[in-house]
Amino acid sequence: MARTSLRLLVVVALVAAVLGGVGGVAVAADGSISGRVGEGFDTQGNFQPLELVDVFVFDAGTGTQLDAATTNASGLFSFTLAPGTYKLKFEDNIGDFAFEYYNNELSLAAADVVTVTSGSNTSVGDVILQVGGNITGVVTGQGSGTLSAVQVVAFNEAHGFQSSPVLTAIDGTYSIIGLPAGAYKVRFADTVTAPPRPYQTEWYNDKVNQSSATPVTVTSDATTAGINAVLTLPAGVGTISGTV
């Protein structure tokens, strides 16, 4: 057989394998998930989109994150995925809206499953994010005034998640924003190691651990203020101050 004819047969066989699958087994075409994210509808019924919301897609069986996208100016997002089952998470990292899993859940375990079929789009429709609540306060050191660079984190035990850590400013103030409504326990941990710091880690309200911490109630579109802390130095460590 001529070399040209042999090459042609090899090419045809390769193309057939790609199109028809290996060993005669058909390869399923990808499907997709799409939707749009917003803050709701105005009085005229117009959708109010949210741009730059991060959308994450997880394997529904393993919980592994597979992909991420960001909503456009119209609040739209989409993923091209193999046929299977998935879960979605939405995070507004630049605004005041609370995160959620599809469909209006606060944990991956509770999230609704989204099924993708070969060659088809699965629309999750309009995802409406809720305005989050905030926690604010001031951190001081016993006998030393306000403390900067203290890490503050809020833990939601009911749903098993925590806020992103924030650091106190030079005046000791902090703000944790965009939290889903619920009860939180707040931890204060000094990140400065230069003597006489660090101060001892503390939970609100003057508690030594999470189990004994006083819960802080957060409501949507409201600020829970005055969640303050006065940190103490370890036993045997003190400060010296005066005027020369």
Side-chain angles (χ1 to χ4, degrees), residues 96 98 131-135 176-181 218-224:
D96 298 328
V131 177
N134 312 312
I135 297 174
I176 302 175
I177 66 172
L179 294 171
V218 172
T219 56
S220 297
D221 200 15
T223 296
T224 303

Side-chain angles (χ1 to χ4, degrees), residues 5-207:
S5 299
L6 181 59
R7 289 195 186 98
L8 181 59
L9 287 173
V10 170
V11 170
V12 170
L14 289 173
V15 172
V18 171
L19 295 179
V22 178
V25 178
V27 177
D30 287 340
S32 60
I33 296 174
S34 65
R36 63 177 181 174
V37 181
E39 56 183 298
F41 296 83
D42 64 19
T43 56
Q44 306 301 315
N46 300 309
F47 185 72
Q48 303 296 296
L50 287 174
E51 186 180 7
L52 301 178
V53 171
D54 293 329
V55 187
F56 303 92
V57 59
F58 300 85
D59 183 288
T62 65
T64 303
Q65 182 182 320
L66 301 176
D67 204 354
T70 303
T71 57
N72 64 18
S74 299
L76 298 172
F77 70 90
S78 65
F79 295 99
T80 299
L81 299 162
T85 54
Y86 302 92
K87 294 185 176 184
L88 301 175
K89 183 183 183 182
F90 305 88
E91 288 187 8
D92 175 27
N93 289 317
I94 62 172
D96 298 328
F97 291 86
F99 80 87
E100 71 171 58
Y101 290 87
Y102 182 77
N103 185 16
N104 197 32
E105 300 291 349
L106 293 180
S107 69
L108 182 63
D112 286 5
V113 172
V114 181
T115 300
V116 172
T117 56
S118 177
S120 299
N121 176 66
T122 301
S123 174
V124 297
D126 295 331
V127 177
I128 308 301
L129 300 188
Q130 304 299 314
V131 177
N134 312 312
I135 297 174
T136 64
V138 179
V139 179
T140 56
Q142 189 173 43
S144 64
T146 58
L147 296 177
S148 62
V150 173
Q151 184 192 78
V152 189
V153 182
F155 295 80
N156 185 306
E157 294 179 326
H159 297 283
F161 67 86
Q162 67 184 60
S163 69
S164 297
V166 299
L167 294 177
T168 55
I170 192 67
D171 61 355
T173 60
Y174 74 89
S175 297
I176 302 175
I177 66 172
L179 294 171
Y184 293 82
K185 293 187 175 181
V186 182
R187 185 190 68 194
F188 306 89
D190 195 359
T191 65
V192 177
T193 58
R197 298 175 73 171
Y199 284 80
Q200 295 185 95
T201 296
E202 174 180 308
W203 294 76
Y204 185 78
N205 185 17
D206 195 28
K207 305 298 183 182

